[in-house]
Amino acid sequence: MTFDIKKLIKEHAGENFSLYEAHVNPRFARALRIIGFDRCYETAKGAYLWDIEGRRYLDMLSGYGAFNIGRNHPVVRKALCDFMSMDGVSLVQMEAPLLCGLLAGELKNRIGYGLDNVYFCSTGAEGNEAAIKFARCATGKSRIIYASSGFHGLTTGALALNGSQVFKEKFGELLPADKVPFGDLNALEDEISSGDIAAFFVEPIQGKGVNIPPAGYMKAAGELCHKHGVLFVVDEVQTGIGRTGKFLALHHETGAEPDMVIVSKSLSGGYVPIAAVLMKKAIYDKVYSSLDRSVVHSSTFGKSNFAMTAGLATLSVLDDENLMDHATRMGNLLGERLQTLAERYEFIGQVRWRGLMLAIEFASPRSLKLKTAWTTVNKLNEDLFCQAVTIPLLEDHAVLTQVAGNQMTTIKLIPPLCITEDDVDWFITAFDKVMQDLHRFPGPAWESLMRIARNAMPGGRSKSRAAAE
Ligand SMILES: Cc1ncc(COP(=O)(O)O)c(C=O)c1O
C-alpha cells in the first residue's frame, strides 16, 4: 500500500481530540474543551487558519512565535521542495555541510557583536542548554543567574532558569541557579559580585508577560556582567528574527555587548525545528579546545540541511518583504488603537509593545460593581479574567490569542509579521466588543465565565492554567 497523507487526513478529519485524548495528553485536551478551544484546524496561510468547517481565524499567537514570516510561506516551501527534488544530502555528520556555513554567515552578519562561531541545534530549550554548558566550560564556574519571570525552555538545565515555580514543582533538584528581579541593576550587581557565577541569562523582552525593561538595562546589565567576569547571555528565541521590528530586540539598544545570543522559533519559517547559539570565539575556544573535543557538544539533527534551507529562505523573505519595518508599523497601529480603547474601558490597565510583541494587561477597575466582579474572579483563579477575553475572541470573533503566562492578568499578541491593516481592524473590532460585554456586570459574559470556572475548578485550578500555557 502506498502512503497517502491527504487520504489519511481526510479519513480521520475531526478525530483530532478523540485521538489526542486516547493517546497523547487527555488533560490538555480536556482543558481545551472546557474553554472552547477544541477546534480542528486544517489549513493555514500567512496570518490565517481554517478549521474543518471552513471558518477562517486570525492567528495572533503564531505557534508561540514560530511563524514571523506567516504560515506556509511559498518561498520557504519552494526552497524545501527544490532541495528535496535535488535529492539533497543531509546529516552525513562526518562532513562540513555547505548550507550550515552559509546560514551561520548570514546570522553573524545580521546579529553582529563580534560573535564568531555558531552552534546549531533544534529548539529554544536546546539552545539554552548548550549556552549553559558553554558558559560553565568557558568560565569554570557553575552557578547561573536568571531574571524573575524569565523563560528559557523546559528541559532540566533551562528549567533551572525558569522564573515561575509552577514549572519546576515535582521535577527534583535542578542546576545551581538564582533569580534576580528583571530590570533591577542593583539586584543584579548584588548577586553577581559573589564571584562564583558563570553567566546571566536574560530575554531582552520577556515572553511571559511581555515585560519590557527600562531603557539602557541590557547595556548596563552586560557591563555589570563583564565587570565581574560573568558571561552575558541573551535569549532571543522569541524576540528574534524581526519580531520587535529589528532583527534582534537587543538591536533597539545601542552599546549592549552579549557574549552569546540564542535564536530559534521563527528562524526556519516554522517549517523545521531550528536553533542557533552565536558565541564569542573565546567561548568556542574553551569548549571545542582541541581536536579531541571538536564534537564535544553536538546533536544529531542540529545541522540538518532541511533546517538550513528553511533558515536561509526565511531570512531572504524577511528582507524581500521588508517585514521588520512592516512589523513596526503594524505594531504601532495596533498598540495605539488599543491605547485608545484603554481610555474607554476600565479593565484595561496598560498596553505595551515593541513591534509585533504586545501585551494587554488588565487591572482592577475603578467602579465598585466592576471591582467586585474583578475581585471575585481573581480570587477563584488569576488566569480567569484573561480567559474571559480569549474565549469570546475565539468563539465569537475567530481570533486566536493566549494568556501571557500562568497566573497573569495579561494577554499577549504575537501575530505573524505579515498582518495587514484589515487584520488590525478585525482584532480591534473583536476586542472592543469583548470589552463592551465584560463591562456589563451582571451580564451574559460573566455568566459564561462563572460556568467555565465551575467546570475547571473541581479538578483544581491547574486545568485552566494548562490552557494558559
Ligand atoms: C525566550 C524563550 N526561550 C526559550 C524557549 C524554549 O523554546 P522551545 O519551546 O523551542 O524549547 C522559549 C519558548 O517559548 C522562549 O520563549
Side-chain angles (χ1 to χ4, degrees):
M1 190 184 84
T2 33
F3 179 75
D4 184 341
I5 187 67
K6 289 184 185 166
K7 187 161 165 264
L8 191 69
I9 290 173
K10 203 166 166 202
E11 276 171 5
H12 294 277
E15 293 174 26
N16 308 35
F17 277 77
S18 56
L19 289 171
Y20 206 83
E21 262 158 0
H23 308 301
V24 187
N25 184 344
R27 294 214 170 80
F28 184 55
R30 175 158 155 69
L32 291 172
R33 280 191 200 281
I34 287 172
I35 61 171
F37 273 45
D38 50 340
R39 319 269 147 155
C40 298
Y41 300 104
E42 194 171 45
T43 51
K45 191 101 196 125
Y48 313 117
L49 299 159
W50 283 264
D51 69 15
I52 52 173
E53 271 130 37
R55 189 180 189 200
R56 185 172 70 129
Y57 297 79
L58 178 62
D59 178 12
M60 299 294 279
L61 171 55
S62 64
Y64 294 151
F67 294 98
N68 286 7
I69 64 166
R71 289 175 182 269
N72 290 321
H73 198 288
V75 171
V76 185
R77 186 179 54 209
K78 180 171 184 310
L80 286 168
C81 290
D82 286 350
F83 180 73
M84 281 191 264
S85 71
M86 291 163 63
D87 286 332
V89 71
S90 189
L91 305 179
V92 175
Q93 307 297 4
M94 298 304 282
E95 60 143 4
L98 172 69
L99 299 181
C100 184
L102 288 171
L103 182 58
E106 287 288 337
L107 285 172
K108 281 173 62 178
N109 284 342
R110 283 151 202 271
I111 288 176
Y113 304 120
L115 301 174
D116 296 295
N117 296 84
V118 185
Y119 168 74
F120 284 109
C121 51
S122 299
T123 67
E126 205 190 341
N128 277 276
E129 292 291 336
I132 292 170
K133 277 180 75 180
F134 296 170
R136 289 167 63 129
C137 179
T139 59
K141 298 169 191 164
S142 55
R143 197 154 70 98
I144 309 280
I145 301 300
Y146 62 98
S148 53
S149 295
F151 188 93
H152 302 281
L154 295 176
T155 48
T156 52
L159 187 61
L161 317 185
N162 198 304
S164 160
Q165 195 51 33
V166 167
F167 287 106
K168 294 178 172 173
E169 275 163 20
K170 303 190 183 181
F171 290 111
E173 204 169 316
L174 300 169
L175 285 181
D178 288 292
K179 180 160 73 173
V180 293
F182 182 58
D184 183 338
L185 291 166
N186 292 331
L188 178 63
E189 179 144 40
D190 283 352
E191 194 64 53
I192 60 175
S193 48
S194 66
D196 63 340
I197 293 157
F200 174 47
F201 277 62
V202 66
E203 299 148 85
I205 298 175
Q206 293 188 314
K208 298 279 167 212
V210 190
N211 304 315
I212 304 176
Y217 172 71
M218 294 298 282
K219 176 175 184 286
E223 286 166 358
L224 278 180
C225 286
H226 296 148
K227 182 172 140 196
H228 294 281
V230 169
L231 296 178
F232 181 47
V233 183
V234 178
D235 181 343
E236 292 262 7
V237 166
Q238 186 163 149
T239 48
I241 326 295
R243 164 62 52 200
T244 68
K246 291 192 186 283
F247 192 72
L248 297 184
L250 197 60
H251 289 156
H252 287 281
E253 195 158 299
T254 39
E257 282 247 2
D259 297 295
M260 285 190 262
V261 168
I262 307 149
V263 289
S264 180
K265 288 200 191 271
S266 274
L267 178 54
S268 66
Y271 275 96
V272 193
I274 189 169
V277 182
L278 287 89
M279 72 199 98
K280 292 230 160 103
K281 184 165 180 300
I283 299 173
Y284 166 83
D285 281 339
K286 287 274 182 159
V287 178
Y288 298 95
S289 55
S290 64
L291 293 183
D292 279 352
R293 286 179 62 88
S294 62
V295 283
V296 73
H297 186 80
S298 70
S299 78
T300 302
F301 283 94
K303 294 171 292 186
S304 147
N305 271 336
F306 293 95
M308 301 300 122
T309 299
L312 285 159
T314 298
L315 295 182
S316 149
V317 168
L318 207 62
D319 292 343
D320 295 347
E321 298 185 6
N322 210 4
L323 282 176
M324 291 187 272
D325 288 345
H326 185 73
T328 304
R329 273 199 309 281
M330 289 303 109
N332 288 342
L333 182 65
L334 191 52
E336 282 155 18
R337 292 190 64 184
L338 284 168
Q339 271 180 335
T340 309
L341 292 185
E343 288 159 22
R344 282 219 316 270
Y345 295 117
E346 289 183 52
F347 280 125
I348 307 177
Q350 193 192 43
V351 179
R352 53 180 179 271
W353 74 94
R354 187 154 294 160
L356 276 168
M357 186 163 183
L358 298 94
I360 308 170
E361 186 169 334
F362 302 106
S364 180
R366 290 177 302 278
S367 57
L368 198 59
K369 220 159 50 162
L370 293 180
K371 205 191 253 306
T372 310
W374 169 266
T375 313
T376 311
V377 294
N378 276 289
K379 250 191 217 145
L380 285 173
N381 184 330
E382 297 91 331
D383 302 328
L384 206 53
F385 186 83
C386 284
Q387 309 285 10
V389 179
T390 57
I391 293 168
L393 276 177
L394 189 73
E395 187 136 331
D396 304 335
H397 304 279
V399 176
L400 180 63
T401 54
Q402 69 174 134
V403 183
N406 51 290
Q407 299 166 344
M408 276 188 191
T409 54
T410 303
I411 64 166
K412 174 158 93 174
L413 310 176
I414 43 168
L417 309 185
C418 56
I419 56 161
T420 63
E421 288 188 22
D422 284 348
D423 298 329
V424 171
D425 275 344
W426 180 347
F427 181 80
I428 292 291
T429 308
F431 185 70
D432 190 355
K433 176 75 174 71
V434 171
M435 281 295 105
Q436 253 176 51
D437 292 346
L438 278 167
H439 281 71
R440 216 170 290 135
F441 177 77
W446 289 93
E447 277 159 30
S448 3
L449 182 60
M450 295 318 283
R451 230 182 357 259
I452 287 157
R454 274 195 298 276
N455 272 334
M457 296 313 272
R461 290 163 1 120
S462 57
K463 278 173 193 145
S464 168
R465 179 182 295 164
E469 281 159 15

